[in-house]
Amino acid sequence: IYSIVKGDGNLLWLATWGGLYSFDKITHHFEKYSDPNIENTRELSCVYKLKTLNKLIISSSKGIPLIFNLETHKFEKCPDSDFYLKDNILRIRYIEEKENGDLYLATENKSLIKYNYITGKFHEFKQIHGLSGVCRHFMFNKNEIWAGTEDGLALMDATSGKVNKLITELDGLPNNVIYSVLLDNQKNVWVSTNKGIAKINITNSKISKFNTEDGLQDMEFNTAAALKISNGHLVFGGINGFNIIDPAKTKNIPFIPVPVITEIKVMNEL
């Protein structure tokens, strides 16, 4: 299972390698939806329920997103007024919807994309794509987007697409491969990576790093496997389970270097 979204009533919709499934939380019944004549209905990587239409948008490893009509249970082509999908492949891993039908798509080959499912228009953010072709997850903070890429954490203006900052290992991140991004109630940015978790104070740019010695399930985490729950705790999923973090109880532990003796002199002589 790569992605889960809540449907109407007791249903959950699951994007899996085998295709699209519904799951009834009361009866525990699974129902599979796929079309043998449409290759993109298998090997799914993402599913999202649209806010203004009774439809899902799904994405597969093949790279062409589809619409699933929840009333007819039929797959449909995505509106594409400029025939963008004719020449471009989009392997989508995370979707977030804003107003007026705008979807922001984190993709593994075109970085961050904006798509309006009402007008059918796709928009590429050229600058962030130039920095990294892979965007696995992102989050909005007012009109800013914190985007997790394979080359660091990018801070981008959501309107202009200008990248105002790129935070990397050189700035203190444990790794440049960012799997997910969350904002806590204290306005700190948290990221899961290939080498643990980091907390970034966006006021003073100080970075705190956490590893298995701090209780992490493993050093490696999974794409877009993150959630901020109602009590403010942060959940990050990894290759060996998941971690629940209470940011209010997390203290910054200063790095204290261990003394290393390199030589001994007596009366200024060895």
Side-chain angles (χ1 to χ4, degrees), residues 59 121 129 147 245:
S59 178
K121 289 189 177 295
H129 188 201
I245 299 172

Side-chain angles (χ1 to χ4, degrees), residues 21-35:
Y21 283 82
S22 65
F23 173 69
D24 191 303
K25 294 184 289 183
I26 302 299
T27 65
H28 294 179
H29 175 72
F30 286 92
E31 188 75 28
K32 182 179 180 179
Y33 300 89
S34 64
D35 188 329

Side-chain angles (χ1 to χ4, degrees), residues 145-256:
I145 299 175
W146 289 89
T149 78
E150 284 202 344
D151 296 277
L153 179 66
L155 175 60
M156 189 184 87
D157 185 283
T159 302
S160 67
K162 180 183 178 183
V163 177
N164 295 314
K165 182 184 294 187
L166 181 66
I167 302 173
T168 69
E169 293 177 26
L170 297 177
D171 303 296
L173 285 183
N175 189 251
N176 285 339
V177 178
I178 310 296
Y179 285 120
S180 59
V181 190
L182 292 176
L183 186 71
D184 68 20
N185 290 339
Q186 290 75 42
K187 305 303 179 185
N188 299 302
V189 175
W190 292 73
V191 296
S192 63
T193 78
N194 246 349
K195 293 185 178 179
I197 284 177
K199 180 179 76 170
I200 303 144
N201 185 315
I202 58 178
T203 301
N204 57 27
S205 299
K206 289 185 178 179
I207 297 176
S208 302
K209 294 183 282 191
F210 304 91
N211 55 38
T212 51
E213 293 183 1
D214 301 299
L216 297 188
Q217 49 80 39
D218 208 296
M219 292 297 282
E220 185 176 345
F221 286 79
N222 287 332
T223 296
L227 175 69
K228 180 180 178 181
I229 52 183
S230 57
N231 61 3
H233 292 183
L234 309 179
V235 184
F236 292 96
I239 63 172
N240 197 30
F242 64 91
N243 287 103
I244 301 176
I245 299 172
D246 182 357
K249 294 183 179 179
T250 303
K251 296 181 179 179
N252 296 331
I253 303 175
F255 173 68
I256 302 175

Side-chain angles (χ1 to χ4, degrees), residues 74-176:
K74 299 292 185 182
F75 293 95
E76 305 170 356
K77 291 183 178 180
C78 285
D80 185 8
S81 59
D82 296 326
F83 305 103
Y84 178 84
L85 295 174
K86 182 181 179 181
D87 301 314
N88 294 279
I89 291 175
L90 297 179
R91 292 192 297 272
I92 304 169
R93 297 306 308 271
Y94 178 72
I95 300 174
E96 190 166 328
E97 184 171 353
K98 303 304 283 186
E99 60 280 341
N100 304 319
D102 280 340
L103 299 178
Y104 287 78
L105 317 174
T107 79
E108 290 183 326
N109 59 319
K110 286 285 188 176
S111 199
L112 190 62
I113 297 283
K114 183 169 71 172
Y115 168 60
N116 189 288
Y117 59 83
I118 297 174
T119 65
K121 289 189 177 295
F122 289 85
H123 173 72
E124 295 184 2
F125 295 103
K126 299 291 187 181
Q127 188 177 5
I128 192 170
H129 188 201
L131 292 172
S132 180
V134 178
C135 177
R136 299 186 183 276
H137 193 243
F138 61 87
M139 65 107 187
F140 277 85
N141 183 22
K142 298 179 181 179
N143 194 48
E144 294 180 326
I145 299 175
W146 289 89
T149 78
E150 284 202 344
D151 296 277
L153 179 66
L155 175 60
M156 189 184 87
D157 185 283
T159 302
S160 67
K162 180 183 178 183
V163 177
N164 295 314
K165 182 184 294 187
L166 181 66
I167 302 173
T168 69
E169 293 177 26
L170 297 177
D171 303 296
L173 285 183
N175 189 251
N176 285 339

